Amino acid sequence: MQYKTILFDLDGTITDSGEGIINSVRYALKKMNLEELNQTELYSFIGPPLDDSFKKLVQLSDHSTELAVSYYREYYQTKGMYENQVYKRIVEVLTALKQAGCNLYIATSKPEIYAKQILAHFDLESYFVGIYGASLDGARSKKADVIRYALKSAKITDLNESLMIGDRSHDIVGAKENGLSCMGVLYGFGDRAELESAGADYIAVTPEEIEEIILKE
């Protein structure tokens, strides 16, 4: 088994968070009297840093982006984070990887405080040695920065034995920027073309394939 340190993305990899994120975005747009986005645009908010998505998809200024993020969190921290569900078979995969001797971590662009609350809500925090995410002030939001922070905080130095797993291109790009191998998953919110073009070393169609790929390496 080559990979003994596994970093997981959260949204679209451990949990299906689409409903809560989309409802939070809609809430923010409505509070700002902005036009509703189509379904494809709304789904684009799942995974990347929130401020980047508001700037790119709604063309907001820095000030308006800060306001949109604050409205988003107004809904998300009370309702949105719980409009969420754990992907089927993920618990079994996490269990198998732990039993095989892997150290598991979370590295997410979601604010760390929310990631910890969500994992506690679903009783998943015990599977992970460390849970690392973005900072609320936006200073640490890009995936490469979150992964770098996770590696440093957890004192992970053997990058050849480390693997990042996520469902969007920024997970793959962030892993590459930190010298990590990376696996894209297709049951989340990205597609094969996005993940392969970003440079994914492995592609898992289902959660079970994560376990199969890691344990056979």
Side-chain angles (χ1 to χ4, degrees):
M1 185 174 64
Q2 178 179 349
Y3 302 112
K4 299 177 182 177
T5 299
I6 314 296
L7 286 72
F8 282 91
D9 178 38
L10 181 56
D11 295 337
T13 304
I14 299 294
T15 68
D16 181 351
S17 54
E19 180 183 359
I21 291 173
I22 287 172
N23 286 343
S24 300
V25 172
R26 284 176 167 154
Y27 176 87
L29 295 176
K30 186 174 181 180
K31 289 271 286 191
M32 297 180 72
N33 295 312
L34 294 171
E35 187 176 341
E36 174 76 73
L37 299 176
N38 63 43
Q39 196 71 8
T40 300
E41 291 169 329
L42 288 168
Y43 267 96
S44 296
F45 274 84
I46 304 169
L50 191 57
D51 54 349
D52 287 354
S53 295
F54 275 116
K55 287 177 182 177
K56 178 181 177 181
L57 296 167
V58 194
Q59 288 84 49
L60 297 183
S61 66
D62 288 347
H63 174 72
S64 293
T65 294
E66 288 182 14
L67 185 59
V69 169
S70 70
Y71 286 145
Y72 173 99
R73 289 176 176 164
E74 192 175 284
Y75 182 94
Y76 188 81
Q77 63 190 1
T78 56
K79 295 181 181 179
M81 75 167 73
Y82 305 115
E83 294 171 333
N84 198 353
Q85 58 186 335
V86 180
Y87 283 111
K88 292 180 180 179
R89 306 299 299 173
I90 277 293
V91 171
E92 289 84 351
V93 170
L94 297 176
T95 300
L97 293 177
K98 281 199 70 172
Q99 290 176 345
C102 294
N103 290 315
L104 310 181
Y105 299 85
I106 289 290
T108 173
S109 294
K110 180 183 296 300
E112 188 171 300
I113 186 172
Y114 297 156
K116 290 179 176 178
Q117 290 173 334
I118 289 165
L119 290 164
H121 175 73
F122 289 116
D123 199 24
L124 293 177
E125 72 269 45
S126 63
Y127 288 96
F128 301 99
V129 180
I131 298 167
Y132 303 104
S135 56
L136 281 171
D137 64 4
R140 182 180 65 250
S141 62
K142 295 188 181 302
K143 198 53 176 273
D145 294 336
V146 171
I147 294 172
R148 190 173 300 111
Y149 159 68
L151 295 174
K152 182 178 180 180
S153 300
K155 297 180 172 60
I156 298 167
T157 56
D158 193 341
L159 302 186
N160 290 328
E161 293 186 352
S162 303
L163 179 72
M164 177 70 210
I165 301 176
D167 68 311
R168 300 300 305 273
S169 60
H170 68 280
D171 297 307
I172 309 304
V173 172
K176 294 292 186 182
E177 287 186 25
N178 283 280
L180 298 183
S181 296
C182 45
M183 181 189 300
V185 300
L186 294 184
Y187 57 84
F189 299 101
D191 58 30
R192 184 179 292 273
E194 174 184 344
L195 296 168
E196 288 183 345
S197 64
D201 298 296
Y202 310 93
I203 298 288
V205 177
T206 64
E208 292 93 332
E209 287 190 14
I210 295 174
E211 176 186 342
E212 293 169 8
I213 291 169
I214 291 172
L215 296 187
K216 78 177 184 181
E217 280 296 311

